[in-house]
């Protein structure tokens, strides 16, 4: 009996017991669809996180005061530190920026009572090279702006639209209120932030960039900066640079081994997030795999019932010339067809389900062809494993006994 | 064609040994129309299982179509059954829930005949038993007589050397019995070797040769010449 013939016979046998076949498939359907959904959402999130980090420069490092330690005046990072580090590590650094940030509000131009929350970032003139930055009009902050503490600002497009109701707002005035103190800035550039694949939690504050020096004056800082960001040249070991930079700072501040400084690399964070995602995906994946095993046991159970029920049929088939192999293949293929069809339905449901879930929890879903192939192969293997014992039992039946079976 | 030489069949159930066949010598030539009769427990069903290669004798030699079957394994026996034996049972033994056509097709599927050739041969076989209009019916949609005709078509579709019928009319009324026996007669007239196992003397009388079993032995083997070719 050839293969296609066997599949046809198996399909016929399954069609006769439609409801039972469907219920038997259910275990596999649930197992495969949950595996597909979980993996799709896991991969999607991972992909989104990775591209998010790419936007902010995967080779970036940050140096800042360790929040958990008691920080004294003499431990605070200063502009001097920033300049010293910039000089020492000139060969490893591609671009750098000191950063001082604070939050403020501005109002809508035609609705004075409506506040817009702002995330004000005092940055250096190289900041546009530190992160993935797309200027759509005007210019970025210049060295001159920094040196002479100009009240100029580069704002994001969404803020321009929200505040002024238009995109072209170069030269317009932006007043930023902080603790009842209002400062006015001239808008010199408008940029578009990279599209985020991850959902924003609640109303996002709009981003404004102003010179570090100006921000320092607003906050009444003498020489302090909040943190420094460096983007490193290719093939520079970020963790190593962080360690050396902290060493320099500790020597300079005379607080060696007191843990007053901390450094983070985007790569390191990315690794941690990826690791967590991987663990989460494998844990949920393992749970889904257990449901597949349960599905397999369901198939084995129903195949055993089927073999007992069809003992006489097996006897007839043997009497008219079916060999052990013919019977074995017949029942094995029936099990594989159940699990295979279950796998296909499960894959389809999994893809649809991951899209639906992704729509509601705003996490991207990516179903790779590899996952589908693995899921299908796995469900087929479940079928083989579950069908082997019952099929072998059927094949070994004695034709005379089987024919007499009532 | 069939040659049995001192065939013994002993069922050993541990404590009790049952000797179902005790040294059977028998020869059946191609084209014969034979009945095997005997009371239940006489060994005739065991004989039928051995003749049909469903079972192997404990002792003795069985030669079917020039092949000795004692040394063959289970799958080789399956192939012999497929090619050389057509079975017909008292309880019809059709595969349930599939069509008459598919039932008749089965032996051809197991001997790997191509689909187009199968269709041709199944159609012919069902025509020979007068069921060409019931091909797509399932066993539960057929009467007893029709089921047995499907079984006969299935038995002859692979042109076997012998057609073995075990109480083929046991579950049929007298009218249908005559119809079925007519079919056997026609098959025999067209050259098939037909062996019918029965306990009904009326059925046995229709065949040309009547072999009687008792206690695992043949007690009579006679020709029914006078009843040839008439009912």
């Amino acid at each position: 009996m050839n293969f296609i013939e066997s599949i046809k016979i198996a399909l016929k046998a399954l069609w006769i017991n439609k409801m039972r076949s469907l219920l038997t498939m259910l275990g596999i359907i649930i197992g495969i669809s949950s595996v597909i959904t979980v993996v799709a959402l896991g991969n999607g999130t991972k992909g989104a996180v990775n591209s998010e980090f790419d936007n902010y420069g995967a080779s970036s490092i940050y140096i800042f005061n360790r929040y958990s330690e008691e920080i004294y005046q003499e431990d605070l990072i200063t502009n001097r530190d920033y300049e010293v580090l910039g000089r020492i590590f000139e060969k490893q650094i591609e671009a750098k920026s000191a950063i001082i940030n604070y939050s403020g509000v501005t109002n809508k131009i035609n609705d004075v009572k409506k506040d817009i929350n702002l995330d004000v970032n005092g940055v250096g003139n190289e900041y546009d090279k530190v992160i993935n930055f797309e200027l759509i009009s005007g210019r970025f902050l210049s060295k001159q702006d920094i040196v002479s503490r100009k009240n100029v600002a580069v704002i994001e497009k969404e803020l321009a639209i929200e505040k002024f109701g238009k995109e072209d707002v170069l030269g317009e005035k932006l007043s930023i209120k902080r603790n009842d103190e209002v400062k006015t800035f001239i808008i010199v550039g408008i940029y578009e932030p990279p599209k985020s694949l991850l959902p924003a939690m609640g109303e996002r504050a709009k981003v404004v960039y102003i010179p570090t020096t100006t921000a320092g004056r607003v906050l009444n800082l003498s020489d302090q900066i909040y943190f420094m960001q460096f983007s490193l040249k290719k093939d520079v070991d970020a963790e190593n640079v962080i360690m050396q930079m902290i060493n320099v700072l500790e020597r300079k501040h005379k607080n060696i081994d007191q843990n007053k400084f901390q450094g983070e690399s985007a790569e390191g964070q990315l690794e941690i997030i990826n690791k967590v995602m991987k663990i989460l995906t494998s844990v949920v994946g393992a749970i889904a795999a257990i449901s597949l095993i349960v599905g397999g046991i369901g198939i084995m159970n129903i195949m055993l019932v089927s073999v007992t029920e069809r003992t006489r049929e097996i006897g007839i088939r043997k009497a008219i010339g079916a060999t052990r192999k013919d019977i074995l293949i017949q029942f094995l293929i029936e099990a594989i067809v159940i699990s295979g069809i279950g796998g296909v339905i499960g894959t389809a449901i999994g893809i649809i389900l991951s899209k639906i879930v992704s729509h509601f929890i705003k996490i991207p879903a990516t179903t790779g062809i590899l996952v589908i192939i693995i899921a299908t192969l796995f469900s087929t293997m479940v079928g083989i494993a579950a069908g082997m014992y019952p099929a072998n039992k059927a094949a070994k039946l004695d034709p005379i006994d089987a024919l007499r079976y009532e | 064609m069939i040659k049995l030489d001192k065939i013994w069949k002993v069922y050993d159930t541990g404590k009790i040994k049952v000797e179902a066949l005790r040294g059977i010598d028998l020869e059946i030539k191609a084209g014969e129309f034979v009945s095997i009769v005997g009371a239940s427990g006489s060994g005739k069903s065991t004989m039928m299982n051995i003749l049909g290669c469903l079972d192997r004798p404990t002792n003795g030699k069985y030669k079917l179509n020039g092949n000795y079957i004692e040394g063959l394994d289970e799958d080789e026996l399956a192939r012999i059954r497929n090619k050389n034996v057509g079975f017909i049972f008292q309880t019809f033994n059709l595969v349930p829930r599939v069509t008459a056509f598919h039932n008749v097709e089965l032996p051809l599927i197991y001997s790997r005949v191509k689909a187009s050739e199968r269709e041709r041969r199944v159609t012919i076989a069902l025509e020979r038993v007068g069921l060409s209009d019931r091909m797509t019916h399932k066993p539960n949609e057929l009467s007893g007589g029709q089921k047995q005709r499907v079984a006969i078509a299935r038995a002859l579709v692979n042109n076997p050397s012998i057609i073995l019928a075990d109480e083929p009319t046991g579950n049929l009324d007298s009218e249908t019995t005559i119809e079925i026996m007519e079919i056997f007669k026609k098959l025999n007239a067209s050259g098939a070797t037909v062996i019918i196992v029965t306990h009904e003397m009326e059925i046995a009388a229709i065949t040309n040769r009547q072999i009687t079993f008792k206690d695992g032995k043949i007690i009579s083997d006679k020709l029914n010449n006078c009843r040839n070719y008439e009912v």
Side-chain angles (χ1 to χ4, degrees):
Chain A
M1 198 163 25
N2 68 43
F3 191 65
I4 294 168
E5 207 67 52
S6 313
I7 290 180
K8 267 195 213 162
I9 289 177
L11 284 173
K12 249 180 225 169
L14 295 176
W15 189 248
I16 288 163
N17 284 313
K18 286 179 275 289
M19 194 61 193
R20 185 206 274 186
S21 306
L22 188 72
L23 288 174
T24 310
M25 277 176 207
L26 214 54
I28 297 290
I29 293 175
I30 291 170
I32 291 286
S33 59
S34 40
V35 169
I36 296 264
T37 309
V38 167
V39 173
L41 291 174
N43 280 347
T45 310
K46 205 171 133 188
V49 169
N50 279 317
S51 72
E52 200 82 359
F53 272 91
D54 277 347
N55 289 337
Y56 287 99
S59 61
S60 281
I61 59 172
Y62 307 83
I63 305 285
F64 45 92
N65 283 115
R66 193 181 287 270
Y67 311 119
S68 54
E69 296 295 320
E70 236 174 296
I71 305 291
Y72 302 103
Q73 187 64 37
E74 62 268 27
D75 299 325
L76 291 172
I77 294 179
T78 63
N79 248 315
R80 274 292 296 154
D81 296 335
Y82 166 69
E83 276 158 25
V84 167
L85 288 183
R87 266 203 306 280
I88 296 177
F89 295 93
E90 202 183 354
K91 286 204 178 101
Q92 286 96 323
I93 291 169
E94 181 82 48
K96 58 184 191 299
S97 174
I99 297 166
I100 296 166
N101 56 348
Y102 62 92
S103 39
V105 288
T106 187
N107 57 282
K108 280 192 178 180
I109 211 78
N110 50 7
D111 186 356
V112 188
K113 283 183 201 130
K114 253 292 195 336
D115 281 344
I116 303 169
N117 290 320
L118 297 179
D119 175 11
V120 184
N121 290 275
V123 296
N125 58 312
E126 275 181 23
Y127 188 73
D128 60 336
K129 289 169 197 79
V130 174
I131 67 160
N132 197 350
F133 203 89
E134 199 194 337
L135 206 63
I136 39 181
S137 62
R139 60 173 180 84
F140 194 67
L141 304 173
S142 68
K143 192 147 198 178
Q144 189 57 42
D145 295 334
I146 312 289
V147 171
S148 43
R149 299 184 181 184
K150 282 206 177 130
N151 285 344
V152 289
V154 175
I155 67 167
E156 69 172 296
K157 189 175 102 183
E158 248 180 82
L159 173 60
I161 291 168
E162 196 167 334
K163 182 174 168 73
F164 300 97
K166 57 180 181 177
E167 222 177 279
D168 179 26
V169 292
L170 289 179
E172 298 271 2
K173 281 178 186 141
L174 172 72
S175 55
I176 299 174
K177 191 166 84 174
R178 180 183 174 273
N179 296 345
D180 292 326
E181 227 178 286
V182 181
K183 272 248 148 50
T184 305
F185 296 82
I186 305 292
I187 297 167
V188 294
I190 295 146
Y191 81 100
E192 178 140 49
K195 271 244 167 359
S196 173
L197 290 167
L198 293 175
M201 300 296 178
E203 182 72 12
R204 187 176 60 88
K206 303 294 179 290
V207 177
V208 175
Y209 292 114
I210 60 171
T212 15
T213 45
T214 318
R217 194 169 57 189
V218 169
L219 296 175
N220 272 325
L221 303 173
S222 55
D223 197 33
Q224 190 205 344
I225 58 173
Y226 285 0
F227 58 97
M228 324 181 223
Q229 188 175 354
F230 302 98
S231 79
L232 301 179
K233 288 193 170 136
K234 263 211 171 81
D235 302 325
V236 174
D237 181 356
E239 297 303 324
N240 190 31
V241 171
I242 289 173
M243 224 173 63
Q244 290 180 32
M245 283 184 168
I246 289 176
N247 270 338
V248 171
L249 289 177
E250 284 182 346
R251 254 180 287 140
K252 198 163 165 290
H253 287 261
K254 301 189 176 66
N255 55 9
I256 293 173
D257 288 340
Q258 288 175 32
N259 267 337
K260 305 286 186 183
F261 305 106
Q262 190 176 352
E264 249 175 34
S265 73
E267 267 166 5
Q269 281 176 298
L270 188 62
E271 250 166 55
I272 291 167
I273 291 174
N274 279 344
K275 224 178 246 172
V276 170
M277 283 307 299
K278 211 172 183 176
I279 292 167
L280 269 180
T281 310
S282 21
V283 166
V284 186
I287 293 168
I290 289 170
S291 75
L292 269 182
I293 291 169
V294 174
I297 293 170
I299 290 180
M300 190 187 290
N301 183 33
I302 217 69
M303 290 307 295
L304 281 172
V305 171
S306 175
V307 168
T308 309
E309 260 183 8
R310 285 151 71 189
T311 300
R312 215 188 159 93
E313 178 192 325
I314 295 162
I316 298 167
R317 287 178 185 271
K318 284 199 153 188
I320 61 175
T323 58
R324 284 183 198 210
K325 207 176 114 200
D326 288 327
I327 301 292
L328 182 89
I329 288 174
Q330 182 193 337
F331 280 90
L332 204 51
I333 284 185
E334 251 175 61
I336 294 170
V337 166
I338 291 180
S339 63
I341 293 177
V344 169
I345 296 175
T347 305
I349 291 178
I351 292 171
I352 295 167
L353 198 66
S354 59
K355 296 273 184 266
I356 293 173
V357 172
S358 138
H359 179 78
F360 280 109
I361 65 172
K362 310 267 187 241
I363 282 178
T366 26
T367 322
I369 189 82
L370 191 71
V371 175
I372 293 172
I373 291 171
I374 290 173
T376 313
L377 279 181
F378 195 77
S379 63
T380 311
M381 267 155 57
V382 167
I384 294 173
M388 209 31 144
Y389 173 62
N392 197 38
K393 204 178 160 195
K396 282 203 303 216
L397 283 176
D398 178 66
I400 299 171
D401 293 341
L403 276 170
R404 278 201 210 112
Y405 186 85
E406 291 296 331
Chain B
M1 180 160 79
I2 289 178
K3 198 163 185 303
L4 300 181
D5 193 8
K6 297 191 191 64
I7 292 290
W8 283 77
K9 183 70 191 179
V10 181
Y11 293 104
D12 193 348
T13 54
K15 278 181 186 165
I16 321 152
K17 276 189 183 172
V18 180
E19 294 174 340
L21 294 176
R22 298 193 288 171
I24 302 291
D25 293 309
L26 179 63
E27 198 168 336
I28 295 172
K29 293 192 179 67
E32 281 198 77
F33 190 13
V34 183
S35 58
I36 295 176
V37 296
S40 75
S42 62
K44 60 184 196 306
S45 290
T46 309
M47 188 72 256
M48 149 121 180
N49 286 341
I50 288 178
L51 284 177
C53 301
L54 278 169
D55 207 352
R56 274 169 289 201
T58 316
N59 229 316
K61 283 188 183 328
Y62 172 24
K63 195 166 149 188
L64 172 63
N65 262 354
N67 302 313
Y68 286 102
I69 69 136
E70 304 90 54
L72 303 180
D73 69 17
E74 209 183 296
D75 284 348
E76 284 166 324
L77 285 182
R79 261 172 227 121
I80 299 239
R81 289 198 292 272
N82 182 243
K83 294 259 161 48
N84 296 310
V85 185
F87 281 101
I88 293 147
F89 302 90
Q90 178 175 1
T91 50
F92 320 124
N93 277 345
L94 299 179
V95 175
R97 294 168 302 213
V98 297
T99 60
F101 184 94
H102 185 70
N103 262 290
V104 179
E105 195 184 16
L106 275 174
L108 299 175
I109 290 175
Y110 289 125
S111 52
R112 277 101 181 140
V113 173
K114 270 191 287 177
S116 55
E117 173 68 5
R118 287 205 304 261
E119 190 175 345
R120 193 181 69 82
R121 278 160 71 173
V122 172
T123 312
I124 292 172
L126 281 167
E127 267 168 16
R128 277 178 83 179
V129 297
L131 274 186
S132 33
D133 55 338
R134 292 284 188 278
M135 284 194 198
T136 56
H137 287 58
K138 290 172 184 165
N140 58 357
E141 299 161 348
L142 296 170
S143 69
Q146 287 168 332
K147 279 185 212 171
Q148 199 57 300
R149 287 187 209 205
V150 173
I152 294 171
R154 185 177 68 188
L156 60 84
V157 73
N158 223 355
N159 295 321
S161 324
I162 50 170
I163 291 175
L164 269 180
D166 185 9
E167 304 277 7
T169 58
N171 281 11
L172 301 176
D173 59 39
S174 52
E175 206 174 313
T176 323
T177 299
I178 293 167
E179 280 172 31
I180 295 295
M181 289 313 292
E182 271 304 315
I183 294 174
F184 282 125
K185 277 177 73 180
K186 266 192 220 154
L187 286 176
N188 175 246
S190 63
T193 313
V194 179
I195 301 169
I196 297 176
V197 175
T198 181
H199 65 276
E200 290 175 72
M201 297 319 281
E202 300 81 18
I203 302 295
I206 297 170
T207 63
N208 298 340
R209 179 181 170 190
Q210 189 175 323
I211 301 166
T212 312
F213 272 69
K214 196 182 177 194
D215 299 331
K217 283 187 167 171
I218 295 174
I219 55 163
S220 98
D221 186 349
K222 62 173 189 188
L223 295 178
N224 292 335
N225 284 334
C226 50
R227 303 288 298 267
N228 267 359
Y229 306 117
E230 54 184 278
V231 176

